[in-house]
Amino acid sequence: MLLSRAAGLLLLPVAVAETCRLYIAKSHFYRDDNPKFGLFAGVDFQQNETLPNPEIGIPLVDIAVGNYVDQDKFELYNAIIQFLEGKVWMSSFAGMQWEGNHTTTLFSPGVATIANHHSGYYNIDWFQPGVLLRERQDGVVEEGKASPGRGAFTNYYNLTMRAAQNIPAGMELFANLGDVFDDDREDLYQDRITRLDYNEAEDILAKIATFMNKYEKEMKGSFQQDVLDFILDTMVEEVGGKRGKVLRSLLPQTPAKVRKAIEAGGAFMYRNQDLVKSIEWLETHGLCVDYLRSGTSTIPHAGRGAFASRSFKEGDVIAPMPMIPILAEDILDMFMITEYTNEDGQVGLTYDRERPIGQQLLLNYAFGHAESSLLMVPTSPMVNLINHAPYPNARILWSSHDHVGFDHGIHDIDFREWNMAEVDPQLVFLLIADRDIQEGEEIFIDYGPSWENAWQEHLIRFDEYLDISGDVWPRRSEDARVEFKNKPYPTDIKRKQIPYPPSSFTACFLETDTVADGEPKDNAEGQEIFQWIGPNSYEDFEGQSLMVCDLQSTQGDETSGYTYTVLTRFKGSPDIVEVKGVPHSAIILLEKPYMSDMHTFGAFRHWIEIPDEMFPQAWRDLRP
Ligand SMILES: *[C@@H]1O[C@H](CO)[C@@H](O)[C@H](O)[C@H]1NC(C)=O
Ligand SMILES: *[C@@H]1O[C@H](CO)[C@@H](O)[C@H](O)[C@H]1NC(C)=O
Ligand SMILES: *[C@@H]1O[C@H](CO)[C@@H](O)[C@H](O)[C@H]1NC(C)=O
């Protein structure tokens, strides 16, 4: 038996590379008035297993518009920001909160952006250590060396999602955006019911099921239904207060349905039973978004690149590319921000339009056209890594795959008439193989003549820079992270030469407790002392516990491991406190605001050109 089974396995076709782990297809929550696609698992994922395709993160620095753009643009800009904010994420979990003085948000294409948000449910979540503790990728940039690519691509990568529970193949994925997103999302999302309601409903359902099981024998005939009605009417609806009615509506109303709901995996799964599609359904009605892998580009100075994880025939779809529109290029400008106080004593922020400090890095990942102020950013996994080559092996086309719920009529409409608050335009490109492509080949498209010209000009300026600098580049926190990986951080930095790159500072992952009884509670400066207690394992590292810290002294040695006494300020508190016992592994170096490569003055910025023949006439608002 065993032998023949083993032999049978050997005969199976080797299809590993072609297994599609992620599909996009029409969402379970698709409505004709709110057409949307969703992201689906193509294979089983166990709870806590990381999802494929760790992504780059693109910081959006100081982008909040508030009340400081010209009045005539105010409404449009706010609508764009709100729309973008529905797609982007808080930055602290990626450790990028110090990129600017004010708000830095994070755009992370791929899984996190294309998976839908459901106010009552999620099955995927960030795995924060992936990006927080990321290691330098070989060959992307060289320590101490200048490159025309410095600052032209993001330093944040390895943004990883993981399964928050067991996910069967075929299930739609819903991302945890955090509870902040639950408040005012009613228009965009399908359900006014919040995650808290579902959690409570699941709890109540479990209790009802236990109760019914226990007394099943005693409760004859319709008595079971009477008891359930009593629980639902009195204990859930009346005692549940304002949310009582909602809670009741989430729960199964008959004893038989209670049993079925438990079998289905809970109240949410019971209400949404066709959340899990068959792989055949996904193959027919969806498109795979898992045929690209990240790696160091084969093109010098290009940073990372996207590589084929299977072979393609000429004309094959390599990936669908849903695009997020950004309606105005100047929203990506960056200016000095100054604070002001209004008549009511409130502090506001104002852009100093006299002092531009550059453009958002997102510009380099956006697609645009010289005759239009419209920009679009692709959202599918890995496609933002695709580089330019004059002899490309792939190109983009408009999608005609209407079975995924994409709306195409939008091309005829002037984009300035899109109401971003109401429509998610769902513009989709297809990435097509222009010739046969082997597994492992890097994918290239043609970025277009205006990009090529801008890059050539950039190379000339870079040569001038080299003449002055002699090919050196200031060391960065990443370089020092490698240096101090296994060697103690210097602590007496006041008297000695500063050993860290001048652009960097130390930050600590701190979970703390009060010191043990009998130990001093304050130091000589009168600062309160705390004891470090976590994070204790790789999985527990979170952006939330990352704080600026100054290293005061070192204890321990190579064998016992080094620990440090540090000074810090806990979030929201003005007081400096001391934390002792911070292990070496809980300390990292980061770049100070506006000091990382992407803020380099003169760093390359240009959008990728959409081929003229596919760019609609209605969108050419800048045509002379
Ligand atoms: C996943 O992680 C959570 C919290 O860290 C833990 O409680 C749970 O047991 C883990 N599940 C598996 C299957 O390892
Ligand atoms: C990316 O994250 C994974 C999972 O946390 C980790 O194992 C891997 O080492 C990380 N890769 C880099 C280059 O840091
Ligand atoms: C950031 O804040 C510092 C300190 O307040 C200030 O000196 C600097 O000009 C600010 N930079 C920008 C770009 O707003």
Side-chain angles (χ1 to χ4, degrees):
M1 257 306 255
L2 271 175
L3 263 180
S4 65
R5 268 186 69 185
L9 276 179
L10 284 177
L11 292 177
L12 285 175
V14 186
V16 180
E18 300 214 4
T19 303
C20 178
R21 297 168 299 174
L22 294 170
Y23 288 89
I24 58 174
K26 195 162 151 176
S27 169
H28 178 69
F29 294 102
Y30 180 100
R31 302 278 176 275
D32 284 339
D33 60 349
N34 186 12
K36 60 163 91 195
F37 48 83
L39 187 67
F40 293 77
V43 294
D44 293 342
F45 293 106
Q46 305 306 314
Q47 187 186 34
N48 299 345
E49 186 180 342
T50 54
L51 266 72
N53 302 326
E55 266 295 342
I56 53 169
I58 306 162
L60 286 160
V61 179
D62 296 343
I63 199 173
V65 172
N67 49 3
Y68 40 83
V69 283
D70 315 342
Q71 197 51 41
D72 59 330
K73 287 188 172 174
F74 173 76
E75 271 180 39
L76 172 67
Y77 278 45
N78 260 341
I80 299 170
I81 294 292
Q82 275 173 20
F83 180 77
L84 269 177
E85 279 180 345
K87 303 279 179 192
V88 302
W89 304 70
M90 305 300 139
S91 58
S92 60
F93 69 81
M96 63 174 64
Q97 62 268 48
W98 293 286
E99 285 288 349
N101 277 354
H102 297 282
T103 54
T104 302
T105 44
L106 159 76
F107 174 69
S108 180
V111 176
T113 297
I114 40 180
N116 282 311
H117 170 249
H118 186 285
S119 61
Y121 178 81
Y122 67 89
N123 51 15
I124 59 171
D125 204 350
W126 288 107
F127 183 52
Q128 301 188 24
V131 58
L132 291 168
L133 305 178
R134 68 191 181 282
E135 294 186 355
R136 194 221 297 274
Q137 271 180 321
D138 286 341
V140 171
V141 285
E142 251 182 285
E143 175 174 351
K145 277 213 162 174
S147 148
R150 286 267 188 184
F153 50 82
T154 179
N155 284 337
Y156 295 89
Y157 55 90
N158 215 25
L159 274 85
T160 313
M161 302 290 293
R162 68 169 161 183
Q165 51 178 271
N166 292 340
I167 300 172
M171 186 172 192
E172 184 164 354
L173 301 176
F174 295 97
N176 180 11
L177 305 196
D179 291 333
V180 278
F181 279 80
D182 292 344
D183 302 338
D184 50 23
R185 309 260 110 203
E186 290 160 11
D187 297 338
L188 283 177
Y189 299 103
Q190 56 289 337
D191 226 337
R192 279 158 209 249
I193 302 160
T194 72
R195 190 178 305 162
L196 297 176
D197 296 321
Y198 267 106
N199 286 348
E200 218 173 313
E202 303 297 358
D203 271 0
I204 297 172
L205 174 67
K207 286 191 184 126
I208 292 177
T210 314
F211 178 84
M212 307 276 285
N213 263 345
K214 198 166 164 193
Y215 297 105
E216 205 177 355
K217 290 208 182 67
E218 283 88 338
M219 298 191 292
K220 297 258 150 42
S222 66
F223 190 54
Q224 280 194 18
Q225 183 68 53
D226 294 345
V227 170
L228 181 61
D229 286 345
F230 174 77
I231 295 176
L232 293 174
D233 290 345
T234 312
M235 295 165 73
V236 177
E237 195 166 333
E238 280 176 28
V239 182
K242 255 201 272 179
R243 305 301 286 164
K245 267 205 160 46
V246 172
L247 281 180
R248 185 187 171 134
S249 75
L250 295 179
L251 290 163
Q253 312 286 324
T254 67
K257 286 181 178 168
V258 167
R259 277 187 288 272
K260 282 198 181 128
I262 292 290
E263 273 165 35
F268 179 85
M269 294 303 286
Y270 180 63
R271 273 167 65 99
N272 297 291
Q273 285 189 35
D274 54 346
L275 217 51
V276 182
K277 307 289 185 200
S278 68
I279 296 301
E280 294 71 45
W281 187 90
L282 287 173
E283 271 169 7
T284 324
H285 296 95
L287 288 169
C288 182
V289 283
D290 183 34
Y291 291 152
L292 294 171
R293 301 283 175 270
S294 152
T296 304
S297 178
T298 55
I299 303 255
H301 312 302
R304 293 171 197 89
F307 295 81
S309 65
R310 49 162 281 185
S311 60
F312 295 99
K313 289 256 167 289
E314 182 179 345
D316 280 355
V317 176
I318 301 171
M321 295 167 53
M323 308 294 285
I324 292 183
I326 297 172
L327 295 192
E329 184 175 337
D330 63 347
I331 214 162
L332 297 182
D333 288 345
M334 279 165 77
F335 297 95
M336 283 292 223
I337 289 186
T338 42
E339 288 188 1
Y340 70 90
T341 313
N342 70 11
E343 308 94 77
D344 307 328
Q346 284 166 325
V347 178
L349 302 172
T350 167
Y351 275 148
D352 185 347
R353 293 202 156 253
E354 303 298 307
R355 286 196 287 173
I357 56 171
Q359 286 173 302
Q360 302 284 349
L361 189 54
L362 189 64
L363 192 62
N364 288 2
Y365 295 91
F367 284 72
H369 188 276
E371 292 180 351
S372 178
S373 50
L374 176 72
L375 293 172
M376 293 184 270
V377 189
T379 59
S380 40
M382 301 290 129
V383 296
N384 281 284
L385 299 176
I386 297 169
N387 288 313
H388 162 80
Y391 303 103
N393 52 12
R395 75 197 137 99
I396 52 165
L397 289 178
W398 282 114
S399 163
S400 57
H401 286 244
D402 45 2
H403 56 264
V404 202
F406 305 146
D407 183 351
H408 298 284
I410 197 94
H411 299 179
D412 309 328
I413 305 170
D414 185 335
F415 71 86
R416 285 158 298 184
E417 283 160 19
W418 293 348
N419 181 349
M420 300 301 289
E422 281 171 15
V423 298
D424 189 338
Q426 313 223 332
L427 302 161
V428 182
F429 293 162
L430 292 180
L431 180 68
I432 305 286
D434 238 359
R435 58 163 170 78
D436 292 357
I437 294 174
Q438 300 305 309
E439 182 185 337
E441 267 191 75
E442 182 167 359
I443 303 291
F444 297 107
I445 59 171
D446 181 359
Y447 279 12
S450 62
W451 185 93
E452 179 67 40
N453 289 343
W455 179 249
Q456 292 306 329
E457 278 169 28
H458 178 71
L459 289 182
I460 293 168
R461 281 196 306 273
F462 180 71
D463 275 343
E464 287 163 8
Y465 167 85
L466 280 190
D467 285 344
I468 306 164
S469 73
D471 196 18
V472 292
W473 195 258
R475 290 181 78 228
R476 293 302 191 199
S477 60
E478 229 182 23
D479 307 319
R481 277 202 210 184
V482 176
E483 180 185 349
F484 291 103
K485 191 161 183 219
N486 298 309
K487 123 178 165 192
Y489 291 105
T491 48
D492 190 13
I493 57 175
K494 282 196 197 95
R495 274 184 295 137
K496 291 185 201 141
Q497 226 189 345
I498 298 175
Y500 311 125
S503 64
S504 69
F505 66 95
T506 42
C508 302
F509 291 94
L510 297 176
E511 287 157 30
T512 58
D513 203 350
T514 48
V515 291
D517 283 347
E519 289 185 27
K521 299 228 176 309
D522 299 296
N523 64 15
E525 311 291 325
Q527 294 154 338
E528 198 174 349
I529 304 176
F530 290 84
Q531 175 66 46
W532 182 92
I533 54 164
N536 280 308
S537 69
Y538 184 80
E539 287 73 22
D540 294 340
F541 278 79
E542 285 189 349
Q544 203 186 341
S545 58
L546 186 57
M547 293 165 214
V548 178
C549 62
D550 290 333
L551 313 185
Q552 298 297 297
S553 61
T554 324
Q555 296 82 40
D557 55 37
E558 211 173 317
T559 356
S560 64
Y562 300 101
T563 62
Y564 301 80
T565 300
V566 308
L567 295 183
T568 192
R569 272 198 188 98
F570 293 145
K571 261 160 219 161
S573 159
D575 301 329
I576 295 176
V577 298
E578 180 178 308
V579 181
K580 58 179 197 174
V582 183
H584 191 80
S585 58
I587 298 168
I588 60 171
L589 286 155
L590 295 169
E591 237 74 59
K592 291 175 188 160
Y594 310 104
M595 297 288 260
S596 65
D597 278 355
M598 72 166 189
H599 294 287
T600 307
F601 188 76
F604 182 72
R605 291 286 181 277
H606 204 280
W607 36 263
I608 301 161
E609 192 160 11
I610 298 169
D612 193 61
E613 62 276 14
M614 68 182 272
F615 199 80
Q617 297 301 321
W619 295 355
R620 300 183 189 229
D621 61 320
L622 301 182
R623 173 172 265 172

